Amino acid sequence: GNSVTQMEGPVTLSEEAFLTINCTYTATGYPSLFWYVQYPGEGLQLLLKATKADDKGSNKGFEATYRKETTSFHLEKGSVQVSDSAVYFCALSDQGSARQLTFGSGTQLTVLP
Amino acid sequence: DTAVSQTPKYLVTQMGNDKSIKCEQNLGHDTMYWYKQDSKKFLKIMFSYNNKELIINETVPNRFSPKSPDKAHLNLHINSLELGDSAVYFCASSQDTTGELFFGEGSRLTVL
């Protein structure tokens, strides 16, 4: 079956530090890959996505590249802000459909001023 | 206007009681979901409806019963509440082809 493995948190960084949150996956076929973000007290929202190998998703300064050879989709940001403090979820879908989303366990990020 | 709204936001109740959580979406989406998030933030899908028809029914106790009166509403009824039911329950919707879920703000259920 499909699975998503994320680096365990919590992750604590100082403002303007470089962020990487690792995500690897196991799937049959060619899944679409997603990063969702959950800010405190809110539901999840889509941060970025990539639908095929070598695609790069980007949004709000975050980036992730779909690497088929390493089955990875690591999330990066060059300079984090306090407002980026949230829980980040990596997810995959076999057919790009929200119905078949498989979520990782989430990584808590705290950015200190 | 809130896209996916669920009520109540907080629910505190005693073991053995029955409670309901309501969800409505005004995005015109065909598919709605219930997810459970535990204290470690782990997210688990419970149910999914497409145009009022149940399409995903994960291994969830029979005490949980979803109802979809129309494609804009998906309610969750829980019978005989147990301590382990304490969690945050999220409603979500999607227009299926994109992989993007739109979540409500969550309903925090505490069973005492």
Side-chain angles (χ1 to χ4, degrees):
Chain A
N2 297 336
S3 67
V4 176
T5 303
Q6 288 181 234
M7 67 185 278
E8 287 199 21
V11 174
T12 303
L13 295 172
S14 297
E15 206 164 24
E16 299 184 4
F18 184 86
L19 168 71
T20 300
I21 300 179
N22 289 339
C23 172
T24 57
Y25 67 89
T26 303
T28 54
Y30 303 96
S32 295
L33 301 174
F34 306 84
W35 277 101
Y36 278 79
V37 59
Q38 184 180 21
Y39 297 105
E42 298 183 12
L44 283 73
Q45 56 186 273
L46 182 65
L47 180 61
L48 53 85
K49 69 178 184 181
T51 56
K52 61 183 187 297
D54 300 325
D55 267 3
K56 178 186 282 188
S58 61
N59 186 22
K60 299 182 182 180
F62 290 89
E63 291 183 341
T65 301
Y66 189 141
R67 301 282 187 207
K68 187 166 178 289
E69 63 277 12
T70 55
T71 61
S72 65
F73 193 54
H74 305 322
L75 182 68
E76 295 182 337
K77 187 174 185 182
S79 175
V80 293
Q81 306 300 312
V82 172
S83 57
D84 293 326
S85 298
V87 182
Y88 292 82
F89 292 87
C90 187
L92 72 81
S93 171
D94 257 345
Q95 299 168 25
S97 164
R99 295 187 201 176
Q100 277 89 28
L101 273 175
T102 300
F103 283 95
S105 55
T107 302
Q108 172 80 55
L109 169 66
T110 301
V111 180
L112 303 175
Chain B
D1 269 350
T2 304
V4 181
S5 59
Q6 46 183 117
T7 56
K9 192 166 182 176
Y10 299 97
L11 195 49
V12 181
T13 189
Q14 300 287 331
M15 276 176 57
N17 285 349
D18 303 338
K19 291 294 177 186
S20 292
I21 308 171
K22 295 186 176 182
C23 179
E24 175 181 4
Q25 55 96 3
N26 63 6
L27 298 167
H29 288 164
D30 291 332
T31 309
M32 295 185 71
Y33 310 78
W34 278 110
Y35 279 85
K36 179 180 180 182
Q37 187 175 49
D38 65 21
S39 58
K40 295 184 178 179
K41 303 294 186 184
F42 185 74
L43 204 61
K44 178 184 173 183
I45 190 167
M46 301 173 70
F47 303 103
S48 176
Y49 272 74
N50 178 258
N51 280 320
K52 302 195 298 176
E53 185 178 337
L54 183 65
I55 55 170
I56 294 175
N57 185 0
E58 292 296 315
T59 306
V60 174
N62 290 339
R63 300 182 293 103
F64 291 80
S65 52
K67 281 193 172 49
S68 181
D70 56 61
K71 78 172 194 176
H73 294 84
L74 179 61
N75 303 323
L76 182 66
H77 187 75
I78 316 170
N79 288 329
S80 304
L81 279 157
E82 300 178 357
L83 293 176
D85 297 332
S86 295
V88 181
Y89 292 85
F90 285 100
C91 178
S93 71
S94 72
Q95 194 57 38
D96 191 50
T97 55
T98 67
E100 182 170 4
L101 284 172
F102 292 78
F103 282 82
E105 290 188 339
S107 297
R108 181 176 293 276
L109 171 65
T110 303
V111 182
L112 303 175

